[in-house]
Each structure stands twice: as structure tokens, then as C-alpha cells.
Amino acid sequence: MATQPGLVLASASPRRRDLLARLGIAPDAVNPADIDETPQRTELPRPYALRMAHEKALACTDGTSFVLAGDTVVAAGRRILPKAEDEATARDCLTLLSGRRHTVYSAIALVAPDGSIRERVSETQVKFKRLSDEELTAYLATGEWHGKAGGYAIQGAAEGLVSWLQGSHSGVVGLPLYETRALLKAAGFALG
């Protein structure tokens, strides 16, 4: 009986590894893609998320393994919010999102050993309560916003600030499990 090709996760995110574990999957290798993640001029959030996942997967393809990549984009309307690398950016993002709905696009791309590519995107609507100055300051003090799209991590303290969510909670964390499972199954990856 032939053994199944391995699975490479094209991401350094520990959250994506944890989410894959919920499906009973441990990647055989972790190979973060090193690509330019700058949005193209006038690029909309959904196509941007799909392009990033696609490019990350292709950048790590080795021709022998399944390669899974993902990208999560937080959008306020047509505006792509940045990954917060400093507190000022996180504060700006959270101030913009306070009391309003926003959309989180979580795209995944899977390259099979034969080179075929499958892609899916999860779209989730999230609404934060109106944040007081004290709540905003307390959340920023956690530091969990660092490196996170839109300046927050829903799997942490920010979950207590979300008043409403419609869609995939795991997608907001960084890997939509329903879509990931469907993609792997469609590609012939044996799930437990």
C-alpha cells in the first residue's frame, strides 16, 4: 500500500498548527513562505486574501507533498487593515472597528503533489462592542494584538469584546476548519 504524501504547512503561525490539530492533522513540515505581502493598488480584500494564500502555497511547493497555505485579512468595507506591528497601528485599527461590523476573509490554498491547486475562502462578519478608552487601553496592554491583522486576536482577550459573529470562528483565528477539511478531502488527502 502506497503511503500518502506528506503535508507541508506554509505558515509559521502556531494558531494554524493548533487548528489543524483539531482536525487530527499534524503537518510533516512547516515551511513559512517568504513573499511580498503588499496589497496591489486598488486590490480588494477578498481577492487579496486569495492571492496571498495562492502565492504562499506556490512558493513552498516541492512537487512531492501537499502544501497548505492560508491568509487572513481584516477589512473595514473595501479597506484592508494592516497587521499591527506597533501599538499605534493596533489602536488605530481597533478605534476604527469599535462599535461596527467588519469582515474577516480567511483564504486557503492547497497545492497537491501533482501540481493541481484548490482554493477556498471563508467570509466572516464580526462586530465589536463600542470600546471605551479603558477597554481599548486594557486590550492593548495584553500585547496579543502584535502581528495580528486588524490589531486583534479573537482567540484571546478580544473575544470578550465581540458582540456578534456570523461565519467561521476558526477562520477569524486564521484557518477555517470546515473549508480546510473540504479542500484536503477533495484533493485526496486521507483524513483520520
Side-chain angles (χ1 to χ4, degrees):
M1 182 176 186
T3 59
Q4 172 169 268
L7 177 69
V8 174
L9 179 61
S11 171
S13 168
R15 289 157 304 285
R16 287 195 177 108
R17 285 193 301 271
D18 291 346
L19 288 165
L20 271 178
R22 292 185 192 175
L23 294 177
I25 299 169
D28 297 286
V30 174
N31 183 14
D34 183 19
I35 64 167
D36 179 4
E37 296 189 39
T38 306
Q40 295 172 353
R41 202 171 110 85
T42 72
E43 190 168 27
L44 296 175
R46 189 178 197 279
Y48 169 68
L50 276 168
R51 181 174 67 84
M52 287 295 93
H54 184 97
E55 288 183 11
K56 288 175 183 179
L58 287 177
C60 296
T61 299
D62 64 8
T64 63
S65 305
F66 288 95
V67 176
L68 178 67
D71 196 69
T72 302
V73 173
V74 175
R78 297 163 61 100
R79 181 176 169 191
I80 297 168
L81 298 187
K83 288 183 182 176
E85 297 299 338
D86 56 62
E87 189 172 309
T89 301
R91 180 178 295 277
D92 289 347
C93 288
L94 292 169
T95 299
L96 177 67
L97 299 176
S98 176
R100 68 183 285 191
R101 276 189 205 183
H102 61 278
T103 306
V104 178
Y105 298 95
S106 192
I108 52 173
L110 180 71
V111 179
D114 67 5
S116 63
I117 302 171
R118 290 174 171 79
E119 300 168 331
R120 298 280 298 261
V121 65
S122 158
E123 184 175 328
T124 304
Q125 300 294 315
V126 180
K127 183 178 180 186
F128 277 118
K129 69 180 292 302
R130 185 160 303 283
L131 303 175
S132 68
D133 289 340
E134 295 78 20
E135 289 168 323
L136 182 55
T137 299
Y139 181 71
L140 292 171
T142 69
E144 68 183 25
W145 49 265
H146 190 266
K148 304 298 188 302
Y152 72 93
I154 198 168
Q155 69 274 19
E159 190 164 11
L161 306 175
V162 173
S163 63
W164 180 85
L165 181 143
Q166 182 179 13
S168 171
H169 183 275
S170 63
V172 179
V173 175
L175 191 71
L177 292 182
Y178 175 81
E179 290 81 358
T180 300
R181 185 179 187 286
L183 212 63
L184 288 166
K185 189 172 180 184
F189 185 87
L191 298 164

